[in-house]
Amino acid sequence: MPTLHEPKLIAGNANLPLAESIARRMSLYRGVDQGLVDARVERFNDGEIFVEVFENVRGEDMFIVQPTSNPANDNLMELLIIADALRRSSAQRITAVIPYFGYARQDRRTKARTPISAKLVANMLTGAGIERVLTMDLHAAQIQGFFDIPVDNLYASPIFALDVKNQFKDNLDEIMVVSPDVGGVARARELAKRINAPLSIVDKRREKAGEVAEMTVIGDVKDKICLIVDDMCDTAGTLCKAAQVLLDKGAKEVHSYITHGVMSGPAVERVTNSVMKSLVLTDTIQPTKEIDKAKNIRIVPTAPIFTQAILNIWNGTSVSSLFEDKTLTPIYESMYHMD
């Protein structure tokens, strides 16, 4: 008789709250207890990572929930070592659920004698025995081509669209979606299309890396509620400056929707003191205490979409169906009561 391969979740230390939230939702959807696999991920005194799995995983469909956020190198090594432990324990299939895929900014050679680190990380993941990757909003979509295994890249824009329709339901006709740079136009256009809003672009000119010399707004933002859309916010310097430029050009108010809240250095302080009415982040990276306390930063959960994507991968159904409103809305019903 055929063997039924069960989906099992295991997590590193990068974002345990998200992993536990996914496990709770899987328990709810499947009607069976779906706790995280009992394991320990610890450090030796010199910082080496040690993994021990306490449950039998032979023949099981394993999903490792581990973003490669700060500290990026430690979390990446945890992911690789967990994968190796599962492979040597005869897991039937290993899928890496990487909500935030680190090193994605280094996806091409912009200067001589520089690495393509995203490709190196892809090689390391497949070398560790990972057979599938599930992630969200890759910095560059072409990174999927660095892998010789299936990569499912979820998008935050459908979730953001639900949030916008809920938060701005009385003045959707005043919304203007803004891309903070030319490279992010496709991402911003996707959200604009979902909420039927016009699109504007903030064009940046840099004198040197990390410093923006001048910003130009392409499009009329006068009396508009501007929504800046991007895949990540690191130090928030450019984001806050873009918000100020939009207000200077006559925007009514400015909000931002960012998938990955890297929020390093003075980012939270900058956002708190900025002219932005709100910054909406997802929980692909575990929010810090400073983020939780910030009055104008709000978190939207990704556990619903990741849970459904994991179940769809496990049972062999479509993952791209989650990009459609009629499929996504029901799993966010508890958050957004849409008419």
Side-chain angles (χ1 to χ4, degrees), residues 46-62:
D46 63 352
E48 280 186 19
I49 295 163
F50 173 75
V51 172
E52 185 176 7
V53 181
F54 297 116
E55 294 181 27
N56 179 29
V57 297
R58 182 181 296 274
E60 305 291 13
D61 201 353
M62 299 300 304

Side-chain angles (χ1 to χ4, degrees), residues 33 40 105 121 180 184:
D33 183 20
R40 62 174 175 146
R105 284 175 280 189
V121 170

Side-chain angles (χ1 to χ4, degrees), residues 132-197:
R132 191 179 195 105
V133 171
L134 174 63
T135 187
M136 177 171 277
D137 272 351
L138 282 170
H139 186 64
Q142 65 265 24
I143 290 173
Q144 296 172 79
F146 293 173
F147 290 87
D148 292 323
I149 56 175
V151 176
D152 294 300
N153 184 30
L154 300 177
Y155 299 107
S157 58
I159 307 170
F160 288 160
L162 290 177
D163 192 86
V164 171
K165 288 175 184 176
N166 187 70
Q167 296 291 324
F168 302 96
K169 56 188 172 187
D170 296 327
N171 41 17
L172 280 172
D173 56 337
E174 298 178 43
I175 297 291
M176 169 76 81
V177 176
V178 180
S179 172
D181 52 47
V182 176
V185 169
R187 185 177 292 106
R189 188 187 293 121
E190 174 66 20
L191 178 60
K193 187 169 140 187
R194 287 179 180 274
I195 62 174
N196 196 26

Side-chain angles (χ1 to χ4, degrees), residues 16-314:
L16 274 172
L18 176 58
E20 289 165 352
S21 184
I22 291 172
R24 283 195 303 272
R25 285 183 173 272
M26 284 185 69
S27 299
L28 177 66
Y29 294 167
R30 298 189 64 220
V32 296
D33 183 20
Q34 187 74 60
L36 297 173
V37 165
D38 189 16
R40 62 174 175 146
V41 183
E42 298 177 349
R43 302 286 190 280
F44 289 114
N45 291 333
D46 63 352
E48 280 186 19
I49 295 163
F50 173 75
V51 172
E52 185 176 7
V53 181
F54 297 116
E55 294 181 27
N56 179 29
V57 297
R58 182 181 296 274
E60 305 291 13
D61 201 353
M62 299 300 304
F63 293 85
I64 310 170
V65 183
Q66 177 80 341
T68 53
S69 47
N70 185 36
N73 298 329
D74 282 6
N75 289 330
L76 176 59
M77 282 304 298
E78 277 191 14
L79 174 59
L80 296 172
I81 294 171
I82 293 170
D84 186 71
L86 295 176
R87 179 171 61 90
R88 296 177 187 278
S89 303
S90 302
Q92 193 256 342
R93 180 176 64 173
I94 302 170
T95 300
V97 181
I98 313 174
Y100 169 66
F101 188 92
Y103 285 102
R105 284 175 280 189
Q106 302 176 54
D107 64 327
R108 65 196 184 281
R109 297 186 70 195
T110 54
K111 298 178 182 177
R113 297 173 296 282
T114 56
I116 304 179
S117 304
K119 172 58 177 168
L120 174 62
V121 170
N123 290 346
M124 292 166 69
L125 293 173
T126 52
I130 289 166
E131 298 165 69
R132 191 179 195 105
V133 171
L134 174 63
T135 187
M136 177 171 277
D137 272 351
L138 282 170
H139 186 64
Q142 65 265 24
I143 290 173
Q144 296 172 79
F146 293 173
F147 290 87
D148 292 323
I149 56 175
V151 176
D152 294 300
N153 184 30
L154 300 177
Y155 299 107
S157 58
I159 307 170
F160 288 160
L162 290 177
D163 192 86
V164 171
K165 288 175 184 176
N166 187 70
Q167 296 291 324
F168 302 96
K169 56 188 172 187
D170 296 327
N171 41 17
L172 280 172
D173 56 337
E174 298 178 43
I175 297 291
M176 169 76 81
V177 176
V178 180
S179 172
D181 52 47
V182 176
V185 169
R187 185 177 292 106
R189 188 187 293 121
E190 174 66 20
L191 178 60
K193 187 169 140 187
R194 287 179 180 274
I195 62 174
N196 196 26
L199 178 67
S200 180
I201 303 167
V202 175
D203 183 43
K204 298 190 296 248
R205 180 171 62 83
R206 294 184 187 271
E207 292 293 343
K208 57 183 179 179
E211 291 186 15
V212 178
E214 185 181 351
M215 285 185 167
T216 306
V217 178
I218 302 171
D220 184 9
V221 298
K222 187 172 175 57
D223 298 324
K224 293 287 189 181
I225 299 173
C226 291
L227 308 181
I228 301 174
V229 180
D230 208 354
D231 68 314
M232 73 171 68
C233 177
D234 193 347
T235 59
T238 302
L239 184 66
C240 293
K241 188 170 182 180
Q244 184 62 60
V245 169
L246 289 167
L247 278 186
D248 293 344
K249 291 293 182 180
K252 187 175 178 181
E253 54 188 55
V254 180
H255 304 260
S256 295
Y257 280 81
I258 310 293
T259 307
H260 308 298
V262 179
M263 305 300 282
S264 53
V268 176
E269 183 182 356
R270 282 175 174 171
V271 170
T272 303
N273 298 328
S274 74
V275 297
M276 272 187 294
K277 289 277 189 180
S278 69
L279 167 62
V280 179
L281 303 171
T282 74
D283 59 354
T284 55
I285 297 173
Q286 184 175 345
T288 61
K289 291 179 181 178
E290 290 75 22
I291 290 174
D292 288 334
K293 290 177 183 175
K295 65 182 186 296
N296 59 344
I297 300 179
R298 189 160 52 85
I299 306 296
V300 295
T302 56
I305 191 170
F306 273 112
T307 303
Q308 194 60 56
I310 288 169
L311 290 173
N312 287 9
I313 290 170
W314 168 61

